[in-house]
Amino acid sequence: MSGALEGIKVLDLTRVLAGPYCTMILADLGADVIKVEAPGGSDETRGWGPPFQNGVSAYYLCANRNKRSLTVDLKTEEGRDIVRELAKEADVLIHNFKSGSMEKWLLDYDSLKENNPKLVFCSITGFGESGPYRHLPGYDYIIQGMSGLMSITGDQDSSPFKIGVAMVDILTGLYSAISIEAALLERERSGKGQKIDMSLMDAAVSSLANVASNYLISGNVPQRLGNDHPNIVPYSIFKAMDGEIIIAVGNNRQFTTLCEVMKIPEIAKDEKYRTNEARVENRIELTNILENQLQLKSSEFWMELFSKNNIPCGPIQTMDQVFNHPQVIERDMVVQVNHPEAGSVKLVGSPIKLSRTATKVERHPPMQESILSRSFKKQGTLLKRFHNLSRKKLSTLGLIH
């Protein structure tokens, strides 16, 4: 079966994580993604390690599968001409250069749409293309701090913590993929492309969800609650006899059942804990009561008991436990691909499960030096003009033939 986005041509001028993650999603769905880098490889993540596998960065491998590769020097007019020619036939162009860079090179949306009015043009920047911070670069860590995410991560006795992965980049990549797909769908009706202005800051602020709503409604600045939920109790990590488990009780019925199976049914009837609102107000006292009971038995005992009674619970797993978990294995969340330099590489699989147009891993992440393969040359319309360039000109542009 063909991919859901088969026939969609994507010109990818991004690097690091947010943009490459977005285009990897599109590529997994069947889009023909051409990753454009400067001579020698301009994606910084190629050097972000250890770990490396045969000299290839694990970080780079995580976001670049299923893409073709092309070397173009955008510092030269000839290189920029190549992008203009490719953009004439592309469905999507995505970049994450600083605001103003594409305009300086005459590769901005207004310039490119003259020759391709159906082009969907996605810009990813730190702060967007409007506002007083539009010219500043954006980095996940800094945006985590500025957006408020770090102010609510950690506990009252700790410093603010960043999230354990570059979550702002991931969220921006996801929002970008959604936006591109929406613009392509709308194009089916209007016949016109459009520009998408994505911002790491916007994506991070949007992810604050209920915590942001709590502040906007109450005016109270949220504090760091560690592993506790700001709106629901008990919904946290609790200590059993031999370790910690997560209990996530979301309603009064579940709380009543929890108390019954823990042999403290009277707690569910106590006015201090009978409703979620009351439990939030008395979370510390309730947590102490629950942990006193939990520490009488092992975590395995409690999780088995809770699961039998439909009480949401779970362990806190390390990476080795995650990727050896039967559920993760069954869902194909680890895939293997052969790479000319790195050898056989394990990658995280796609979470997108479509019944007819399943995602596929068909290409390894592009190598350090881009090569125009025979199959790439056969792509036709996207590179027709490009293929007419002479071998000598390809060399002067920094392209490898």
Side-chain angles (χ1 to χ4, degrees):
M1 290 294 181
S2 59
L5 294 180
E6 184 178 7
I8 297 298
K9 303 179 183 70
V10 180
L11 194 55
D12 178 11
L13 276 64
T14 67
R15 67 263 186 232
V16 187
L17 187 54
Y21 195 79
C22 166
T23 54
M24 183 178 72
I25 294 170
L26 302 179
D28 284 352
L29 289 167
D32 186 7
V33 177
I34 302 173
K35 182 178 178 70
V36 177
E37 292 186 74
S42 54
D43 192 326
E44 293 97 315
T45 62
R46 289 185 181 276
W48 286 6
F52 296 94
Q53 183 163 316
N54 295 333
V56 182
S57 159
Y59 198 121
Y60 170 77
L61 291 170
C62 84
N64 287 287
R65 64 168 175 248
N66 277 337
K67 303 175 187 180
R68 303 182 190 276
S69 183
L70 188 64
T71 302
V72 175
D73 189 353
L74 291 177
K75 294 180 180 180
T76 67
E77 187 58 32
E78 293 89 347
R80 294 190 287 271
D81 281 342
I82 290 293
V83 173
R84 294 186 187 103
E85 289 297 314
L86 293 171
K88 289 179 182 179
E89 302 291 341
D91 296 287
V92 178
L93 184 147
I94 178 170
H95 79 90
N96 61 353
F97 293 110
K98 285 174 59 177
S99 292
S101 297
M102 295 294 272
E103 286 80 4
K104 179 180 64 176
W105 295 331
L106 297 180
L107 295 175
D108 55 295
Y109 175 63
D110 288 336
S111 298
L112 297 180
K113 75 174 181 178
E114 292 181 8
N115 291 312
N116 184 1
K118 297 180 71 174
L119 179 67
V120 172
F121 183 104
C122 182
S123 164
I124 298 177
T125 56
F127 297 94
E129 297 194 1
S130 60
Y133 280 30
R134 64 187 181 276
H135 294 302
L136 295 181
Y139 300 93
D140 177 280
Y141 202 157
I142 294 171
I143 301 297
Q144 284 198 37
M146 292 184 68
S147 67
L149 278 172
M150 287 179 62
S151 75
I152 57 172
T153 307
D155 58 42
Q156 292 182 339
D157 298 325
S158 73
S159 298
F161 287 157
K162 75 176 182 67
I163 300 169
V165 297
M167 188 54 69
V168 174
D169 279 339
I170 296 296
L171 289 170
T172 307
L174 288 167
Y175 277 124
S176 298
I178 293 168
S179 300
I180 288 168
E181 289 161 348
L184 290 171
L185 184 61
E186 192 279 336
R187 191 180 71 173
E188 293 297 307
R189 299 193 297 271
S190 68
K192 298 178 181 179
Q194 58 184 301
K195 181 179 179 179
I196 300 166
D197 175 8
M198 293 300 306
S199 154
L200 270 68
M201 184 70 164
D202 294 350
V205 171
S206 75
S207 74
L208 295 172
N210 60 295
V211 177
S213 188
N214 291 347
Y215 166 71
L216 293 172
I217 297 301
S218 71
N220 297 323
V221 177
Q223 303 300 307
R224 293 189 295 280
L225 295 174
N227 293 304
D228 291 350
H229 195 290
N231 297 88
I232 310 172
V233 174
Y235 205 99
S236 187
I237 292 177
F238 294 86
K239 294 178 182 178
M241 177 187 290
D242 60 345
E244 295 175 319
I245 61 173
I246 298 170
I247 300 174
V249 168
N251 56 53
N252 293 329
R253 176 184 55 77
Q254 289 177 344
F255 181 66
T256 298
T257 304
L258 175 74
C259 293
E260 288 174 351
V261 302
M262 292 182 68
K263 302 189 183 305
I264 47 174
E266 69 280 3
I267 298 301
K269 300 173 185 177
D270 192 319
E271 288 298 316
K272 291 167 63 177
Y273 314 116
R274 190 172 61 82
T275 67
N276 182 68
E277 183 178 359
R279 294 194 291 273
V280 171
E281 291 178 2
N282 297 287
R283 73 166 70 229
I284 296 176
E285 186 176 347
L286 177 57
T287 297
N288 290 334
I289 293 172
L290 294 178
E291 287 198 333
N292 285 338
Q293 285 297 109
L294 289 167
Q295 289 176 12
L296 298 176
K297 302 285 185 178
S298 69
S299 56
E300 184 178 356
F301 170 86
W302 290 119
M303 283 192 290
E304 184 176 347
L305 180 63
F306 293 159
S307 296
K308 285 181 180 178
N309 289 275
N310 297 314
I311 298 168
C313 65
I316 302 167
Q317 298 189 139
T318 55
M319 287 298 116
D320 56 327
Q321 293 171 321
V322 170
F323 289 108
N324 284 290
H325 195 284
Q327 184 67 22
V328 173
I329 294 171
E330 175 66 25
R331 297 288 290 175
D332 295 323
M333 287 309 297
V334 178
V335 295
Q336 203 142 351
V337 61
N338 291 320
H339 189 283
E341 295 172 334
S344 181
V345 176
K346 290 182 179 179
L347 302 173
V348 176
S350 173
I352 301 172
K353 314 295 184 186
L354 299 176
S355 63
R356 288 191 300 104
T357 54
T359 59
K360 300 176 184 177
V361 178
E362 297 183 320
R363 294 189 181 90
H364 60 76
M367 293 182 291
Q368 178 79 11
E369 293 297 346
S370 170
I371 298 176
L372 297 175
S373 68
R374 289 182 181 178
S375 61
F376 184 73
K377 289 183 181 180
K378 290 178 182 177
Q379 285 306 300
T381 56
L382 181 60
L383 291 171
K384 226 175 244 182
R385 297 180 180 86
F386 177 73
H387 291 152
N388 290 332
L389 293 171
S390 69
R391 184 181 295 265
K392 182 177 180 181
K393 192 165 187 180
L394 286 171
S395 176
T396 63
L397 297 180
L399 295 161
I400 300 173
H401 194 279

